[in-house]
């Protein structure tokens, strides 16, 4: 199929032929130092790269050039995101699912797991447990089921969550990760006030996609691949894309991911708000040995590093699928959002440990630390854990958010917001040890705010938080 990034047809904006040609181009030039160095000069400007250039960087095995890529990725991350890491938690609403995804234990044929859907009262209990940890930003997750967990259930759940006020806490941004749906449903999600709509492509390789999704609505590759176009037509400004690395070859899916981002930018004037980089994990009836395309930690780091260079303005997310070591490695070269204290069982936050053992997690977690432990670890590494949700609440979404990042104004906006929301966390939820080191980090961070007026206002807000006031933002 002819490649056309402005086309609305999935097999034209994710053209198999274009991906194959890109991979052949990368293979043919992988030792072409002159060309790679030219691309690195362009990369260092921080304005991004095309999918062919990025595919070549990913193919390059020269350790010195890889070292330079790593330096460029770190510099871009520092310039655009500073040392902030945005925190969130997933909330599983229901594991009823009619799809047949072979890598997920929630697939319809798995009769061995208990199926469960949270009632509105149970959602309140889960959210209160999450708020008591300190979370302000959630990603709602559920299987696909036309009657048990339909759009009405999801909309009711979102309203319930935004309505909960508990002590000093409130969930201020609800992101949603649900199956591909219609423009009309996306419009309803927008009206419900969701933050980002997240949907992983799983794999861009159509034949592999169809083999791994044998049954259910999700088996329709075209409908799934065109979902983000429908979401944007439905008025959702911030969309989050991703692939499940390990399903198909990483080179193919890496190229597809960038082509998807280029398509959204070409058609809607704004690329994806976030890219997620999950890797396949073991789970109930899922064994990773059945997935020979699983990737090593080294390749994983290189993927994140080249993505950071190729799409500098797109946030990058990793979950607790990754171990502490792997998280440390990718935080350094590109990741900007992290989940913490997560449970991937339905009802996993409010339930007792004993009950939890009987439930089935969507996948086995590698990082099982509490949110406080994660916050403390991030501070030790020199990062500022941020609970900020200001952009979305100030209407800075889609291209308005992108122009803020591109103008470099983010340092006078996201920087102080991160300090203010970390301060709230320290006051309300942190252990004594985390609080102590967090205070030091905030004091040092204040001095780094470039604009004097902003710095003064932030200093004032920090004192007001100590007096019990909450929810300041720039
Ligand atoms: N049901 C919706 C869907 O499939 O798009 C959204 C929620 S699903 C719970 C979120 C994601 O979990 C899927 O898109 C898939 O990539 C990921 N996932 C499923 N099984 C997994 C596994 N064994 N290891 C890692 N991630 C997995
Ligand atoms: Fe259902 Fe999503 Fe799991 Fe597929 S990945 S079986 S759609 S919950």
């Amino acid at each position: 199929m002819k490649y056309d990034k402005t086309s609305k047809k999935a097999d034209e904006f994710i053209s198999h032929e274009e991906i194959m040609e890109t991979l052949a181009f990368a293979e043919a030039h992988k030792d072409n130092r002159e060309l790679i160095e030219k691309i690195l000069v362009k990369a260092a400007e921080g304005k991004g790269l095309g999918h062919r250039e990025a595919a070549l960087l990913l193919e390059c095995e020269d350790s010195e050039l890889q070292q330079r890529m790593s330096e460029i990725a770190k510099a871009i991350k520092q310039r655009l995101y500073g040392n902030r890491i945005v925190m969130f938690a997933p909330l599983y609403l229901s594991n009823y699912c009619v799809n047949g995804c072979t890598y997920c234990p929630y697939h319809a044929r798995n009769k061995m797991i208990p199926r469960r859907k949270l009632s509105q009262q149970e959602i309140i209990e889960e959210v209160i447990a999450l708020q008591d940890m300190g979370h302000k930003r959630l990603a709602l997750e559920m299987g696909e089921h036309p009657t048990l967990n339909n759009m009405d259930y999801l909309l009711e759940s979102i309203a319930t969550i935004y309505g909960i006020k508990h002590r000093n806490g409130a969930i201020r941004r609800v992101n949603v990760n649900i199956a591909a749906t219609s423009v009309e449903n996306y419009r309803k999600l927008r009206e419900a006030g969701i933050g980002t709509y997240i949907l992983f492509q799983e794999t861009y390789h159509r034949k592999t996609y169809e083999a791994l999704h044998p049954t259910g609505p999700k088996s329709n590759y075209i409908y799934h691949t065109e979902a983000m176009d429908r979401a944007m037509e439905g008025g959702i400004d911030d969309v989050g894309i991703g692939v499940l690395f390990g399903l198909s070859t990483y080179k193919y899916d890496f190229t597809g991911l960038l082509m998807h981002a280029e398509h959204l930018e070409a058609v809607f004037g704004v690329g994806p708000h976030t890219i997620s980089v999950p890797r396949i994990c073991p789970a109930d009836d899922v064994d990773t040995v059945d997935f020979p395309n699983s990737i090593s930690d080294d390749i994983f780091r290189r993927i994140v590093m080249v993505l950071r260079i190729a799409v500098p303005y797109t946030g990058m997310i990793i979950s607790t699928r990754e171990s502490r070591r792997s998280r440390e490695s990718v935080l350094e070269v590109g990741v900007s959002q992290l989940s913490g204290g997560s449970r991937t069982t339905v009802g996993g936050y409010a339930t007792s440990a004993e009950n939890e053992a009987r439930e089935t997690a969507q996948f086995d977690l590698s990082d099982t630390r509490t949110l406080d432990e994660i916050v403390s670890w991030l501070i030790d590494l020199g990062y500022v854990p941020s609970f900020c949700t200001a952009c979305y609440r100030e209407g800075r979404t889609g291209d308005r958010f992108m122009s803020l990042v591109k103008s470099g104004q983010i340092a006078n906006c996201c920087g102080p917001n991160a300090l203010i929301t970390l301060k709230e966390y320290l006051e309300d939820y942190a252990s004594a040890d985390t609080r102590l080191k967090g205070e030091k980090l905030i004091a040092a961070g204040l001095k780094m705010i470039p604009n004097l007026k902003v710095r003064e206002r932030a200093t004032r807000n920090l004192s007001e938080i100590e007096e019990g006031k909450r929810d300041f933002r720039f």
Side-chain angles (χ1 to χ4, degrees):
M1 203 57 81
K2 194 174 79 49
Y3 172 52
D4 178 2
K5 69 177 174 184
T6 63
S7 166
K8 297 289 214 113
K9 292 189 179 149
D11 48 8
E12 290 182 358
F13 66 79
I14 305 289
S15 146
H16 172 68
E17 287 70 23
E18 173 60 18
I19 297 184
M20 294 315 285
E21 277 176 32
T22 299
L23 299 187
F25 165 83
E27 175 65 30
H29 293 282
K30 66 180 180 194
D31 297 319
N32 185 340
R33 201 180 172 95
E34 199 184 332
L35 178 58
I36 295 174
E37 288 198 345
K38 235 167 99 183
I39 295 173
L40 288 181
V41 170
K42 181 176 170 192
E45 290 169 17
K47 299 208 173 81
L49 297 176
H51 59 274
R52 284 204 178 200
E53 296 164 320
L56 176 52
L57 293 191
L58 190 64
E59 192 67 46
C60 168
E61 292 291 343
D62 182 291
S63 58
E64 191 222 314
L65 291 173
Q66 278 184 10
Q67 183 55 33
R68 276 172 53 193
M69 281 177 224
S70 170
E71 300 305 326
I72 292 170
K74 285 182 200 170
I76 289 174
K77 187 179 175 216
Q78 186 56 37
R79 191 161 72 240
L80 295 181
Y81 301 88
N83 50 1
R84 294 179 304 283
I85 302 293
V86 169
M87 306 303 303
F88 77 99
L91 172 58
Y92 281 71
L93 297 180
S94 166
N95 62 8
Y96 285 99
C97 193
V98 292
N99 286 313
C101 316
T102 54
Y103 46 85
C104 175
Y106 293 168
H107 67 83
R109 278 171 300 112
N110 190 356
K111 305 291 178 218
M112 303 304 287
I113 60 164
R115 299 282 170 173
R116 192 167 168 206
K117 165 190 166 181
L118 297 180
S119 66
Q120 297 306 308
Q121 183 51 38
E122 287 170 323
I123 290 174
I124 294 173
E125 286 159 23
E126 288 285 282
V127 171
I128 286 179
L130 281 156
Q131 288 183 2
D132 281 341
M133 289 183 204
H135 279 295
K136 301 278 187 266
R137 180 187 286 244
L138 298 184
L140 300 187
E141 313 269 343
M142 63 180 196
E144 180 168 13
H145 198 289
T147 51
L148 288 167
N149 19 298
N150 56 16
M151 189 49 64
D152 287 344
Y153 168 70
L154 180 60
L155 294 172
E156 190 186 355
S157 306
I158 294 169
T160 298
I161 294 169
Y162 277 136
I164 300 168
K165 298 281 171 282
H166 167 67
R167 300 204 183 118
N168 280 337
I171 296 302
R172 298 172 181 160
R173 178 173 176 129
V174 176
N175 296 335
V176 168
N177 181 5
I178 58 148
T181 185
S182 61
V183 175
E184 194 194 337
N185 277 339
Y186 287 124
R187 203 162 282 134
K188 289 181 184 166
L189 284 176
R190 179 204 148 90
E191 281 157 17
I194 68 159
T196 311
Y197 170 64
I198 301 164
L199 178 69
F200 302 158
Q201 177 62 28
E202 318 299 6
T203 174
Y204 288 93
H205 190 271
R206 183 169 181 170
K207 283 212 171 87
T208 307
Y209 183 97
E210 286 168 353
L212 295 173
H213 302 94
T215 53
K218 194 170 167 180
S219 62
N220 186 337
Y221 170 86
I222 297 289
Y223 189 73
H224 188 82
T225 311
E226 293 172 359
M228 291 313 189
D229 292 65
R230 292 194 300 280
M232 285 188 144
E233 273 159 36
I236 296 180
D237 286 338
D238 291 346
V239 299
I241 61 174
V243 294
L244 184 52
F245 282 103
L247 299 185
S248 184
T249 66
Y250 73 87
K251 295 178 189 179
Y252 194 100
D253 277 333
F254 171 87
T255 308
L257 197 54
L258 286 178
M259 284 165 66
H260 200 174
E262 286 166 14
H263 161 70
L264 295 173
E265 172 124 34
V267 175
F268 298 98
V270 53
H273 187 66
T274 54
I275 289 183
S276 296
V277 285
R279 286 196 280 184
I280 178 100
C281 298
D284 183 61
D285 68 342
V286 179
D287 193 336
T288 41
V289 293
D290 296 332
F291 295 88
N293 290 315
S294 297
I295 55 172
S296 67
D297 287 355
D298 176 50
I299 295 292
F300 186 55
R301 179 182 161 97
R302 281 166 61 185
I303 289 171
V304 170
M305 171 178 87
V306 184
L307 282 175
R308 181 67 304 139
I309 293 173
V311 280
Y313 307 121
T314 303
M316 240 191 289
I317 305 179
I318 52 161
S319 70
T320 45
R321 290 174 181 87
E322 295 301 324
S323 68
R324 171 185 176 147
R325 229 181 73 199
S326 156
R327 292 178 127 198
E328 252 175 64
S329 160
V330 291
L331 275 169
E332 201 184 33
V333 290
V335 164
S336 55
Q337 278 193 37
L338 198 75
S339 53
S342 307
R343 298 276 182 283
T344 61
T345 42
V346 179
Y349 294 105
T351 201
S352 66
E354 188 191 321
N355 270 350
E356 205 199 332
R358 272 189 262 123
E359 303 290 344
T360 303
Q362 197 209 4
F363 48 81
D364 296 347
L365 303 181
S366 287
D367 190 340
T368 53
R369 289 172 293 168
T370 64
L371 181 60
D372 192 66
E373 285 166 337
I374 300 261
V375 167
S376 160
W377 160 74
L378 286 172
I379 295 173
D380 286 343
L381 292 173
Y383 296 110
V384 180
S386 171
F387 294 85
C388 181
T389 53
C391 277
Y392 150 74
R393 293 161 77 221
E394 290 290 323
R396 294 189 296 253
T397 58
D399 52 359
R400 291 190 60 203
F401 172 76
M402 289 299 168
S403 53
L404 180 81
V405 186
K406 289 178 186 173
S407 69
Q409 268 315 304
I410 212 152
N412 280 318
C413 182
C414 305
N417 281 336
L419 299 179
I420 287 171
T421 55
L422 175 61
K423 176 74 175 175
E424 286 189 353
Y425 175 81
L426 298 179
E427 287 288 316
D428 292 338
Y429 310 104
S431 64
D433 178 52
T434 304
R435 187 169 172 170
L436 201 67
K437 53 184 154 188
E439 294 291 356
K440 280 191 196 146
L441 185 76
I442 291 174
L446 264 180
K447 295 190 189 130
M448 312 289 282
I449 298 174
N451 182 309
L452 197 64
K453 280 212 172 95
V454 173
R455 202 189 303 168
E456 279 167 8
R457 200 176 117 193
T459 311
R460 220 172 31 247
N461 290 160
L462 289 167
S463 311
E464 288 169 311
I465 291 171
E466 282 178 8
E467 290 158 14
K469 295 192 187 137
R470 295 289 177 269
D471 205 11
F472 298 102
R473 59 181 181 266
F474 287 86

